[in-house]
Structures are given as structure tokens and as C-alpha cells.
Amino acid sequence: MSPHVAIVTDSTAYLRPEAVRRHSISVVPLTVVIDDEAFEEGTEISAPAVARALQRRRPVTTSRPSPGEFAAVYEAVADSGAASIVSLHLSGEFSGTYDAALLAAKEAPIPVRVVDTGMVAMALGFTVLAAARAAEAGGTAEDVVAAAEKRAYDTSAYFYVDTLDYLRRGGRIGAAQALFGSALAVKPLLRLADGRIEPLEKVRTASRAITRLEEIVVGQVEEIGQAGERGEGGRKVSIAVHHLASAERAAALADRLRERLPDLDELVVSEVGAVIGAHAGPGLLGVVVSPH
């Protein structure tokens, strides 16, 4: 068996606690600041608390972990007996988390490969799980990075927001700025592309936008299945439905996807964490499609 490769990620992967424990994944938290009070994501503040703060128009910002926080985690992982680390993080377009991890990796007591996955939320989470399974199968650090990069490359993320205002305030919209002139007249559908948020379509009402989101996801999964039928390799597909303060809409969308896509490998429904919630705002509804 190859020397043990440990997996580190950050709190925006939104992995379930049982998955973190099962795969011995170390998670470094980002920070949410409401007014002037800082909270660690995942332990000290919830997404609903962030949604309430945003609805009350309280100032909400986020910040990356420090290089020192990464250094402490890398040292602890080394002390546990790992021979090397693969550290997988949200898109560098959204956060300086990747840069902080790189700085810490230079001084780590064991080799650390730091990867900007270009993903976030369960698009990152599925990538991290692919890396963990590769490590558990005895893969080298290079094997683990390759497994993660392939999963990230194949994964897509689409989402609907009630308003672009929260993304605009946080500077996370990139090309979606083109939608601002008509933001009040449309409901935007967005996607992750090359680690950035980009506009996908403009739809007139929330209900039509959510219906269109469903159609896009179903079409993509069916296309993956058809590729398998053509002999291009049958692939299982995992889906995550994310939301912020929209549990009923998320559950309804998930139910429709289960009915229309009965052969899914898994379908996860979860509220996003505080950091992504702070930038997307209440009303977020997103879907991650991750073939493997």
C-alpha cells in the first residue's frame, strides 16, 4: 500500500459530518463577519442566521482562513502519521483561501499539494470525496490530485437567485454584471464556469426560472446516460440540491428530479453554509451535477 495521503479541505465544501468522519477529512473553516463580530463557518454560525442578518440589512462579510490556521492543520495531520497531504479548496476567484493554503504548504513538515478546484459547495464536496476515495484505495498524492481534478472537471453547478444584489455587493458576479441593467425585470440563472460565476439565462419569473433549472439538469443527466448507451462508458451521477432559506422549494425540486431521474446514484438536499449564503442571499436554489 502507498504511504498514507491525507485530505484537507475548507468549510465551503459543505460535506456532511458523517462523511468527514468516515474519510478522516480535515476541514479548515472560513469566517463570517456580521456587523463587527466574527464567527467560524460550520461551528459558530448557521446559514439561517446569515439569512436573517441579510434580510435585516445588517453588514455581512466573509474572510479566508489565515496561513497560520492552515499551518496548524497541516502539522496536526503530519503528527497523525500521514506521509503527504492533498489540500482541496474553493475557487480562487471567490476567495483567498487557496493562496493562504499555498503559503502554509511551503513550511509544512510533510509534502502538501494544494489544488484550486474551481468549485464551491457540493461541487467542491464531491471533488473532495473523489480524492478521499482515491487515497483510501492506496493512491499516491499524484493519483489523488488526478482523481480530484477529473471529478471537478466533469462537475457542473447551476443556480438561481432571487436577486443579484448580494453577489454584486460581494464582488462575486464576474460576467453576470451584464445582467444588472435588467436585474429587476428578470430572474437570473447562473452557472460556475472556469471557477467564476457566469450568466446562463434570463427568465421572467421565479417559477419559470426554477422549471428551467430543472430542465437543464434533467437534460444534462440524460445526455450522460445516452453517452453510456453509445458505448462511451456508463457513469453514475450524483446530484446536490442547495438552498438558502428556501427549504420547501428545494425539497420540491429534489422530488421532481428523483421522479424524472430514477437511476441517480445519490441526491443530496442541503442548505448552503454561512459563507456562500452571505454572498448569494436568501432565495438561492442551486443544483450540482457530478458524474463519476
Side-chain angles (χ1 to χ4, degrees):
M1 179 177 288
S2 302
H4 174 52
V5 180
I7 305 299
V8 174
T9 190
D10 59 72
S11 58
T12 68
Y14 301 141
L15 292 167
R16 292 178 172 175
E18 56 268 28
V20 171
R21 291 191 298 269
R22 183 185 317 122
H23 298 288
S24 299
I25 298 166
S26 298
V27 180
V28 181
L30 276 73
T31 299
V32 177
V33 181
I34 299 179
D35 296 319
D36 293 320
E37 191 171 2
F39 306 90
E40 282 191 355
E41 181 177 42
T43 58
E44 298 178 342
I45 191 167
S46 66
V50 168
R52 289 191 295 271
L54 291 170
Q55 289 164 338
R56 294 167 185 168
R57 304 196 68 80
R58 295 171 64 190
V60 180
T61 58
T62 62
S63 64
R64 71 177 191 179
S66 69
E69 290 173 280
F70 275 109
V73 170
Y74 293 159
E75 185 172 348
V77 170
D79 289 345
S80 73
S84 62
I85 297 170
V86 173
S87 197
L88 302 149
H89 301 292
L90 80 161
S91 171
E93 296 285 339
F94 300 156
S95 167
T97 300
Y98 169 76
D99 293 330
L102 276 179
L103 288 172
K106 294 177 181 178
E107 307 298 329
I110 57 176
V112 181
R113 292 283 302 274
V114 183
V115 179
D116 177 351
T117 67
M119 298 283 110
V120 74
M122 275 304 295
L124 171 58
F126 287 133
T127 298
V128 171
L129 291 175
R133 293 182 184 113
E136 290 161 1
T140 64
E142 290 72 22
D143 296 330
V144 172
V145 170
E149 289 179 339
K150 184 179 188 308
R151 189 69 179 263
Y153 179 81
D154 290 342
T155 295
S156 302
Y158 309 97
F159 59 103
Y160 158 83
V161 290
D162 279 332
T163 173
L164 289 168
D165 189 46
Y166 299 109
L167 289 168
R168 176 187 61 79
R169 289 186 215 169
R172 264 68 177 184
I173 53 166
Q177 289 176 351
L179 294 175
F180 277 140
S182 57
L184 297 178
V186 301
K187 295 295 183 181
L189 288 177
L190 308 167
R191 67 175 178 177
L192 275 181
D194 298 323
R196 297 184 296 272
I197 298 172
E198 294 186 351
L200 182 60
E201 295 181 7
K202 294 187 269 188
V203 186
R204 287 294 175 184
T205 67
S207 61
R208 289 181 182 176
I210 294 169
T211 297
R212 183 62 187 134
L213 178 63
E214 177 185 337
E215 294 297 332
I216 290 168
V217 170
V218 169
Q220 183 175 358
V221 175
E222 289 178 344
E223 184 176 336
I224 293 167
Q226 289 165 3
E229 292 173 3
R230 293 194 298 267
E232 298 171 21
R235 306 178 71 184
K236 296 180 179 180
V237 179
S238 295
I239 282 182
V241 176
H242 286 307
H243 73 93
L244 180 62
S246 294
E248 290 185 6
R249 286 199 301 197
L253 175 59
D255 286 344
R256 293 194 300 273
L257 290 173
R258 286 190 190 96
E259 182 176 349
R260 298 183 65 179
L261 301 169
D263 295 328
L264 288 176
D265 186 48
E266 63 179 322
L267 195 158
V268 179
V269 182
S270 69
E271 192 159 37
V272 295
V275 169
I276 301 307
H279 294 292
L284 164 72
L285 192 62
V287 182
V288 174
V289 179
S290 187
H292 54 100

